[in-house]
Amino acid sequence: MKMILLALSLLPLSVMAMPSKEAQFKNSLSTVIANSTKPDVRPGMVVASPSRSNPDYYYDWVRDTALTYRSLIDFYELKKDQKIKNMIFTWIDAEAYRQNQPTFTGLGEPKYFIDGSGYTGGWGRPQNDGPALRAIAMIKFARLMLKEGNTDYVLKKLYHGVIPADSPIKKDLEYTAHHWREPSFELWEEEMGMHFYTLLSQHTALQEGAKLARELGDSGAADFYETQSRLVGEFIKDAFLDSAIGIKATIRRVNGGLGYKHSNIDVAPLLALLHNSPYQKLFTLRSAPVRKYVETLIDTFQNLYSVNKAFPELGVSIGRYPEDRYDGYVTSGVGNPWFLATLALGEYYCQAKTETKNLKYNDLIEKQFARALFHSDRAGGMSEQFNHMTGHMQGATELTWSHNSFMTAYMRCGYLGKK
Ligand code: NOJ
Ligand code: NOJ
């Protein structure tokens, strides 16, 4: 068996047929469901990956889970699938439970044991994107429930206008409104500072939260969230734009951060623009800083990875940031392209096509999806990364976030139909 696996993994990448996007969507949906319904895990919680060693990702990260459910909520919106709806209800109960667990950093705690208790080992904490992303997903679901006439559910389980907050959305909004000025670890869990990704998510959560609060009659809170959202937006515009690279990922690093992220070029701002779409109105994709930034990002990774030169007919493999040393196992290695980053560029092209009506994007979109599928195992499997030289997958297997990013890109490109 070992020998066969070894032989398979040494096969040239181009021998096996690539799955269609449609087939991969189904595979990704079933992997997301599998990773979200593990029998040994508290119902409603999601493992970042089934991998329990090298690396051990058998935990629930607030960010990964919020993004996973955001894509399941989008799927529910399109297909009105009852099984998915029940999963969403169960998830909301699990989040309510987790928010009441004692942790080192309150709601900024990034990572939880599979029984729902806060992780107790050393970690980069807090990570303040988590509560914001969770609020954005839950607010979207609240909207869908209001539309279905299920106001009772929203008032009982999602948003209750009292202080101290006793409902999941309000807790996250209060946390976000009161902590956005503080530094926290970024989505890569490596540097304490102020981050474009975190702040844009906080801006959006507060903006959408203000609207929901107003609709539900909590108008004092609505005013407060709206003001904070505006202030976050002003701070982002003041501090993160850069004439050379478009958008900087991080400023005000605490204790110098990692000390080797000199370029400040990172896929995180691209993820921020996508994860906060269609809500944030600070930037359009056509704006000068975004265009400069995306151009810089593409050039940087195009030149960095030999796998891009080896298969030039495919889209561009994108990693986290050029100085990355995390190879999926250890942080003393060489960084690689990631599926979720590579798919993000495809999703960006789809949005850019919608914004500009420019048909030149069609070709780029297809190539970008093909790039991700090419490096997958061609049978539905996607890890976290693929090697920058050999193109073979590495890092956590069946990463939930890789699969939900495929789902999101596919849906946002309109392949599953329109709502
Ligand atoms: C695991 C983190 O999740 C990853 O982002 C990081 O690069 C490595 N640990 C090293 O800190
Ligand atoms: C490492 C990534 O850097 C981080 O963003 C993610 O939350 C964890 N892995 C879990 O997938």
Side-chain angles (χ1 to χ4, degrees):
M1 188 59 190
K2 271 245 162 71
M3 284 308 288
I4 299 176
L5 280 179
L6 186 66
L8 265 178
S9 69
L10 292 175
L11 271 182
L13 281 162
S14 41
V15 169
M16 273 170 72
M18 268 160 50
S20 65
K21 293 197 288 295
E22 293 64 35
Q24 184 59 43
F25 181 81
K26 288 194 185 125
N27 285 324
S28 285
L29 176 60
S30 57
T31 304
V32 165
I33 294 176
N35 290 355
S36 308
T37 51
K38 291 266 176 232
D40 57 339
V41 173
R42 188 182 176 85
M45 301 195 71
V46 183
V47 293
S49 150
S51 175
R52 293 168 188 262
S53 62
N54 194 36
D56 184 2
Y57 273 36
Y58 213 71
Y59 298 93
D60 178 308
W61 271 262
V62 176
R63 166 183 42 261
D64 298 45
T65 298
L67 295 171
T68 299
Y69 271 91
R70 174 83 188 275
S71 69
L72 290 176
I73 291 164
D74 286 348
F75 180 75
Y76 173 70
E77 182 182 28
L78 288 167
K79 294 289 168 193
K80 294 286 177 297
D81 183 299
Q82 188 60 44
K83 177 178 163 198
I84 298 293
K85 189 183 195 179
N86 289 336
M87 282 177 65
I88 298 168
F89 287 147
T90 306
W91 165 65
I92 288 168
D93 289 343
E95 293 294 356
Y97 174 86
R98 139 155 78 192
Q99 284 179 328
N100 288 330
Q101 296 301 301
T103 65
F104 288 108
T105 54
L107 297 186
E109 197 65 21
K111 175 176 167 181
Y112 288 73
F113 289 114
I114 55 172
D115 67 356
S117 60
Y119 183 63
T120 47
W123 209 252
R125 57 167 69 90
Q127 294 176 21
N128 287 346
D129 58 328
L133 297 172
R134 178 166 58 199
I136 292 168
M138 286 193 184
I139 292 167
K140 163 119 203 205
F141 190 61
R143 285 259 142 66
L144 293 175
M145 289 305 94
L146 291 174
K147 218 165 147 190
E148 289 183 13
N150 204 346
T151 311
D152 284 354
Y153 179 81
V154 174
L155 294 173
K156 186 157 165 254
K157 296 278 195 159
L158 288 171
Y159 191 96
H160 181 207
V162 296
I163 295 289
D166 63 359
S167 56
I169 294 177
K170 180 120 182 142
K171 281 187 184 174
D172 283 340
L173 295 177
E174 288 294 318
Y175 181 85
T176 301
H178 290 284
H179 293 275
W180 67 265
R181 287 184 176 81
E182 298 160 18
S184 72
F185 278 83
E186 92 293 28
L187 78 173
W188 309 136
E189 322 191 276
E190 297 179 323
E191 290 196 313
M192 179 88 132
M194 301 299 284
H195 317 285
F196 183 90
Y197 181 88
T198 305
L199 285 158
L200 195 65
S201 304
Q202 293 170 320
H203 164 78
T204 301
L206 291 167
Q207 170 191 302
E208 295 307 303
K211 285 188 211 155
L212 183 69
R214 201 170 302 288
E215 276 166 47
L216 297 175
D218 194 8
S219 59
D223 292 343
F224 173 57
Y225 300 149
E226 205 175 283
T227 304
Q228 296 306 310
S229 174
R230 183 172 49 73
L231 293 173
V232 182
E234 286 168 9
F235 177 54
I236 294 173
K237 288 219 149 175
D238 275 356
F240 285 87
L241 305 188
D242 182 285
S243 56
I245 65 167
I247 301 174
K248 295 187 274 206
T250 295
I251 60 168
R252 301 190 191 164
R253 290 190 171 87
V254 174
N255 297 326
L258 283 176
Y260 56 76
K261 289 184 75 168
H262 298 301
S263 70
N264 225 347
I265 299 165
D266 194 306
V267 75
L270 176 62
L271 297 175
L273 294 167
L274 301 175
H275 297 170
N276 290 290
S277 166
Y279 308 117
Q280 70 81 21
K281 305 291 176 218
L282 295 179
F283 302 96
T284 64
L285 299 191
R286 262 175 298 181
S287 63
V290 172
R291 281 165 50 187
K292 179 79 201 169
Y293 158 71
V294 175
E295 229 169 73
T296 309
L297 194 70
I298 294 173
D299 279 0
T300 302
F301 288 112
Q302 173 63 41
N303 294 322
L304 187 65
Y305 299 138
S306 54
V307 85
N308 281 327
K309 286 157 209 154
F311 305 100
E313 67 285 6
L314 301 170
V316 184
S317 312
I318 305 281
R320 299 197 298 184
Y321 56 92
E323 302 88 348
D324 200 354
R325 298 181 185 177
Y326 179 56
D327 67 4
Y329 310 107
V330 294
T331 311
S332 49
V334 179
N336 292 301
W338 283 41
F339 285 100
L340 67 92
T342 303
L343 287 162
L345 183 59
E347 188 179 324
Y348 164 84
Y349 287 143
C350 289
Q351 282 202 27
K353 180 183 142 188
T354 311
E355 254 194 41
T356 61
K357 313 266 181 292
N358 190 332
L359 296 182
K360 78 166 183 204
Y361 287 111
N362 283 336
D363 189 43
L364 296 171
I365 294 166
E366 291 312 314
K367 284 183 171 163
Q368 212 50 41
F369 274 96
R371 171 62 78 174
L373 291 170
F374 185 78
H375 296 283
S376 74
D377 73 357
R378 317 276 174 93
M382 268 193 289
S383 305
E384 183 181 74
Q385 323 187 356
F386 49 95
N387 188 276
H388 62 105
M389 287 188 301
T390 68
H392 285 287
M393 295 201 295
Q394 67 186 61
T397 51
E398 301 297 32
L399 186 80
T400 311
W401 191 356
S402 296
H403 286 284
N404 87 55
S405 71
F406 190 95
M407 287 181 62
T408 307
Y410 187 87
M411 291 188 286
R412 294 282 179 88
C413 288
Y415 295 129
L416 198 66
K418 303 235 184 302
K419 47 169 186 217

